[in-house]
Amino acid sequence: MSYNNKTIKELHQLLLNKELSVVELTQSVLTDIEKREPVIDAFLSVNIDAALSQAAAIDARGVNPEVLTDGISIGVKDNIVTEGLETTAASKILGGWIPPYNATVADKLAENGLITIGKLNMDEFAMGGSGENSSVKPTKNAWNQTKVPGGSSSGSAASVASGEVRLSLGSDTGGSIRQPAAFNGIVGLKPTYGRVSRFGLIAFASSLDQIGPLTPTVEENAQLLNVISGFDKNDGTSSNIAVPDFTSKIGQDIKGMKIALPREYFGEGIDEKVKEQILAAAKHLEKLGAIVEEVSLPHSKYGVAVYYIIASSEASSNLQRFDGIRYGYRAQDINNLEELYVKSRSEGFGPEVQRRIMLGTFSLSAGSYDKHFKKAGQVRTLIINDFAKVFENYDLILGPTAPTPAWDLGARIDDPIAMYLADLLTIPVNLAGLPGISIPAGFVDGLPVGMQLIGKRYDEETIYQVASAFEATTDFHKHLPVIFGGTK
Amino acid sequence: MSQITEEQVKHVALLSKLEFSEEEVSDFTATFGKIIDMVEMLDEVDTAGISFTMNVADNLNFMREDVAEEGVDRDKLMAAVPEKQDGFIKVPAMLSDGGDA
């Protein structure tokens, strides 16, 4: 018996009514994973024994009626540090590493009774937009296994979309939650920068990284964000702004809501069919009472260039810690210390990670700093100002999540720039620290298309309000891929 | 077009503590050049007088009470070390043929 079509609210009720035990539920999730994993490849490790013993412990003490997520399973992206569970960021350089501590979000999952069922595949160190940069294996798209699942949270999206697990955590530095959510037809949110602690998230680009939830429905997404949000003394950039109940506006009507459509998000490089679907979605919101108007974000076209300088510069600094000394991969047959660093890193990091370290080091090096790094930081200010200006008059910004649907596995692997451009519409949101969601909004050639809603800082509630109004009056989220029992 | 040379790529590799074969250097220089060209589109933006954004956090470096807290257990940390001896991390000598460090 599988329960993967039940929302966590429904599961909570079944558990409370004793129609289902936590052990039975956990076993059913393990079976769902076992069935699909041979074609999806979303997991790097499955935590069978510990998950079942946690489940038995919850059964023994009884499910807490006050805690919605008590006894529910979740998949966790492998760049989130989990004590006692191998954590590799899908990199050879961290192969076999068993962390001695938990990320703050991992503690929060445990406090809320969530069972970490396994660690999810990803592009190595979250660098990539297709899932193919995993050093272990490429994850497959839930809708078509010849297509990429998107990235970097490839396993987080494909596992939820294929019915392996109901909830997952991903991380988003330039679109790494929203783009794979779009490619797999599920809901993925990047919270406001500072909303969720980054303590124990293996750092890629610290001024951009955020952990966020991926789920089949909008309400479950808000419920999971409730679990992971909040100030953390271990993360100097986490915010002490009060955490609201993110479901509080779900179900409220959206009459008079002002939604901006940036013309740049419907311009050059955007697939015509994707554009049609998203414009139709905007029309739908208009029918629900929203006021939709065109605006301009004139500097958005520079986002990709700014991002690749800033993110790579921060990465080149963050990834210095991987040197073969204290943990992870160490090269053999070494003559001196310098050689140990160079060989361990050259053998341990994959090609895309090396490319980013090189670009970052170059951008920060003498003679290049002013021309590249400083310039990128200034254009970042202009991108932030563009958003601020629009938000003076609008509640939300709407556009596609990605310029195209999922592409064929292997199609862009030799063309980094084509791969980078896939993040065109998501990157500016990270640069400005804003919250953004992707929700299912159509299909092109049998593949899901995601609509992106971008909100004001710390205004995830309005995003969820509009997203749920859209979901409640459309059928896109009800279509399931064949692997999840759908017919499409 | 950017003027990235193989020599520059080798220099950046040295700073990055990475090494590439001659063939990789040549491939890398071509790809790297294209990426640099892409980012150099920023040259067309007028940024005179525009401030530099390093971070978008509300908080940066807030202080906490100077109270000792228990850290991660030493043995747990040492368990991850690839080579160790007598409770210490073992590394090769700084200089070649320097014997056991």
Side-chain angles (χ1 to χ4, degrees):
Chain A
M1 177 93 188
S2 177
Y3 301 91
N4 59 4
N5 58 350
K6 301 242 181 283
T7 65
I8 56 175
K9 217 182 217 174
E10 291 165 342
L11 291 171
H12 184 59
Q13 209 49 53
L14 288 174
L15 293 172
L16 285 182
N17 297 346
K18 312 257 185 213
E19 291 171 58
L20 182 66
S21 72
V22 178
V23 167
E24 285 166 345
L25 175 59
T26 309
Q27 271 162 344
S28 81
V29 174
L30 291 168
T31 307
D32 287 332
I33 293 172
E34 198 186 332
K35 266 195 214 160
R36 293 167 174 83
E37 209 35 31
V39 281
I40 294 295
D41 283 324
F43 281 87
L44 291 176
S45 57
V46 181
N47 188 20
I48 300 174
D49 296 339
L52 286 171
S53 74
Q54 267 174 275
I58 298 174
D59 278 331
R61 68 155 159 80
V63 171
N64 186 343
E66 306 291 316
V67 181
L68 178 70
T69 50
D70 204 14
I72 308 288
S73 292
I74 186 167
V76 174
K77 189 175 180 177
D78 203 38
N79 58 350
I80 296 171
V81 167
T82 44
E83 185 174 356
L85 293 181
E86 186 180 4
T87 300
T88 69
S91 180
K92 188 178 163 191
I93 210 160
L94 272 178
W97 184 53
I98 310 287
Y101 71 105
N102 255 342
T104 297
V105 295
D107 279 338
K108 284 175 178 282
L109 296 181
E111 284 159 20
N112 285 276
L114 282 153
I115 297 169
T116 298
I117 201 84
K119 300 300 292 288
L120 292 160
N121 201 9
M122 54 186 284
D123 286 296
E124 183 180 355
F125 285 106
M127 297 175 186
S130 73
E132 295 163 295
N133 293 334
S134 164
S135 75
V136 182
K137 58 190 178 182
T139 295
K140 316 301 184 304
N141 190 294
W143 289 80
N144 179 336
Q145 283 81 59
T146 68
K147 303 285 179 185
V148 299
S152 68
S153 306
S154 50
S156 306
S159 61
V160 170
S162 63
E164 290 185 320
V165 67
R166 194 75 199 173
L167 310 172
S168 73
L169 291 184
S171 68
D172 191 314
T173 305
S176 283
I177 289 173
R178 289 160 288 158
Q179 185 251 29
F183 282 11
N184 285 279
I186 61 166
V187 181
L189 177 113
K190 182 202 92 76
T192 308
Y193 185 83
R195 185 60 102 180
V196 179
S197 169
R198 294 181 296 106
F199 180 73
L201 172 66
I202 296 172
F204 161 15
S206 305
S207 82
L208 305 165
D209 298 339
Q210 272 289 286
I211 295 170
L214 295 97
T215 57
T217 67
V218 173
E219 186 174 39
E220 287 167 295
N221 204 277
Q223 288 161 340
L224 183 52
L225 187 62
N226 280 345
V227 169
I228 60 171
S229 294
F231 172 75
D232 177 14
K233 67 177 170 55
N234 287 330
D235 174 4
T237 61
S238 79
S239 169
N240 42 21
I241 281 182
V243 178
D245 174 0
F246 293 109
T247 66
S248 66
K249 292 186 178 174
I250 287 179
Q252 289 182 15
D253 83 56
I254 62 163
K255 281 196 184 70
M257 185 79 70
K258 291 196 74 185
I259 298 176
L261 239 51
R263 69 177 66 95
E264 293 81 7
Y265 282 32
F266 296 88
E268 203 187 327
I270 315 299
D271 182 288
E272 282 300 321
K273 291 179 187 166
V274 168
K275 206 186 291 183
E276 262 173 46
Q277 300 284 314
I278 300 305
L279 288 172
K283 277 260 174 285
H284 181 80
L285 289 173
E286 236 170 13
K287 269 189 236 149
L288 297 179
I291 299 158
V292 180
E293 290 169 351
E294 198 179 283
V295 298
S296 177
L297 294 170
H299 297 92
S300 55
K301 68 173 167 181
Y302 302 110
V304 175
V306 169
Y307 174 84
Y308 278 91
I309 293 173
I310 291 177
S312 301
S313 297
E314 293 184 17
S316 75
S317 168
N318 276 325
L319 271 57
Q320 287 179 67
R321 63 174 63 108
F322 300 100
D323 56 7
I325 304 286
R326 290 149 299 155
Y327 44 77
Y329 176 79
R330 178 182 279 206
Q332 297 303 306
D333 302 321
I334 294 298
N335 295 310
N336 60 52
L337 194 58
E338 176 76 8
E339 204 180 307
L340 174 67
Y341 296 145
V342 172
K343 295 245 187 268
S344 298
R345 289 165 62 83
S346 300
E347 293 167 16
F349 289 134
E352 180 61 25
V353 175
Q354 295 194 17
R355 204 147 40 220
R356 307 254 186 133
I357 292 172
M358 290 283 287
L359 179 60
T361 307
F362 172 76
S363 302
L364 293 171
S365 63
S368 178
Y369 180 87
D370 278 347
K371 182 170 164 52
H372 293 108
F373 188 68
K374 190 171 165 222
K375 185 86 180 178
Q378 288 175 310
V379 181
R380 182 177 186 181
T381 306
L382 295 172
I383 289 171
I384 293 170
N385 293 348
D386 283 356
F387 279 118
K389 207 169 152 205
V390 169
F391 281 128
E392 283 173 12
N393 297 309
Y394 295 89
D395 301 296
L396 286 176
I397 293 170
L398 184 160
T401 304
T404 67
W407 56 85
D408 288 336
L409 282 159
R412 297 191 187 180
I413 201 77
D414 295 322
D415 187 353
I417 291 175
M419 195 83 95
Y420 296 172
L421 287 171
D423 301 332
L424 178 72
L425 304 168
T426 44
I427 278 173
V429 177
N430 300 74
L431 292 172
L434 302 170
I437 202 169
S438 179
I439 60 168
F443 290 90
V444 166
D445 305 328
L447 293 168
V449 170
M451 167 167 69
Q452 184 175 210
L453 296 169
I454 303 162
K456 297 177 188 170
R457 284 174 70 78
Y458 302 108
D459 193 15
E460 289 88 354
E461 285 166 282
T462 302
I463 293 180
Y464 285 129
Q465 179 189 356
V466 173
S468 68
F470 184 82
E471 185 188 71
T473 51
T474 54
D475 279 339
F476 304 116
H477 66 290
K478 290 185 188 150
H479 293 288
L480 295 175
V482 173
I483 195 161
F484 197 168
T487 52
K488 231 176 147 127
Chain B
M1 280 298 284
S2 87
Q3 301 291 316
I4 297 296
T5 63
E6 294 196 3
E7 285 316 304
Q8 273 176 298
V9 166
K10 285 180 189 167
H11 176 67
V12 175
L14 190 74
L15 297 175
S16 303
K17 302 246 183 275
L18 292 171
E19 67 178 3
F20 300 99
S21 68
E22 282 302 321
E23 197 194 333
E24 284 170 332
V25 167
S26 147
D27 287 353
F28 198 91
T29 306
T31 318
F32 205 50
K34 285 185 204 157
I35 297 173
I36 306 285
D37 284 343
M38 187 267 286
V39 301
E40 283 185 349
M41 76 187 282
L42 296 180
D43 291 348
E44 71 190 46
V45 187
D46 179 7
T47 51
I50 301 295
S51 64
F52 173 90
T53 298
M54 183 91 82
N55 206 294
V56 291
D58 297 340
N59 286 326
L60 272 180
N61 298 328
F62 63 88
M63 307 303 251
R64 64 180 196 228
E65 293 296 312
D66 184 18
V67 179
E69 287 177 28
E70 206 171 326
V72 177
D73 181 73
R74 186 179 185 281
D75 291 339
K76 275 184 166 181
L77 288 172
M78 286 301 290
V81 175
E83 283 182 71
K84 53 201 157 189
Q85 192 180 320
D86 305 327
F88 293 98
I89 297 171
K90 192 175 176 187
V91 293
M94 294 284 289
L95 303 171
S96 294
D97 307 320
D100 223 6

